[in-house]
Amino acid sequence: MEHFTIATVAEKSPDFRRVLWTGKNTQLVIMTIPPGGEIGEEVHEGIDQILTFVSGTGEARVAGEKREVVQGDLVVVPAGTKHNFVNTGPNPLVLYTVYGPPEHADQAVHHTKREADAAEAAGEDEPPR
């Protein structure tokens, strides 16, 4: 059994992205977006994503709609939907997300968005298949 006190684990991580658990059909990832930062506009073909916000304030941009997100909010991004999440506050925007199926390499840790983007571009962030 895997057990996480997820809000506490997410709050303690300074990393842009950290994969906590990868299963056959889903993946659990925590993220910390610095003030003024963003996940970056993207589309996950064939992958649903559920994001739950632990702390901070931000803006969800999903399928052309914009909405403020704060602690306790949950946003569902269906597969094939253009999305981005932007930190609009003075503190880190901390969240955890579940991908189905997995989107990132098992146990991947990317300290910054730049590092995450470089790993993806180099093909080093491929999920297990």
Side-chain angles (χ1 to χ4, degrees):
M1 171 181 17
E2 295 288 336
H3 178 270
F4 300 97
T5 307
I6 194 64
T8 302
V9 172
E11 281 284 332
K12 289 182 178 179
S13 176
D15 300 313
F16 175 74
R17 181 187 304 135
R18 177 178 291 270
V19 175
L20 292 183
W21 180 84
T22 301
K24 179 179 178 185
N25 299 307
T26 57
Q27 184 173 62
L28 176 62
V29 176
I30 55 177
M31 297 186 75
T32 300
I33 304 167
E38 63 183 77
I39 289 176
E41 189 172 85
E42 59 188 359
V43 175
H44 303 298
E45 296 296 342
I47 299 172
D48 294 321
Q49 186 176 8
I50 299 170
L51 303 95
T52 303
F53 295 85
V54 174
S55 64
T57 57
E59 183 176 78
R61 301 175 182 173
V62 180
E65 293 184 49
K66 295 180 182 180
R67 184 166 297 174
E68 180 184 38
V69 290
V70 297
Q71 179 182 2
D73 286 351
L74 182 145
V75 176
V76 175
V77 180
T81 304
K82 187 183 293 186
H83 61 282
N84 191 8
F85 294 87
V86 179
N87 184 339
T88 58
N91 299 311
L93 179 61
V94 179
L95 64 104
Y96 62 92
T97 184
V98 176
Y99 294 96
E103 168 68 1
H104 299 287
D106 188 31
Q107 302 298 311
V109 177
H110 302 119
H111 302 293
T112 65
K113 180 173 179 1
R114 175 178 277 162
E115 187 177 306
D117 290 345
E120 288 178 16
E124 298 168 355
D125 190 33
E126 294 299 314
R129 298 285 181 213

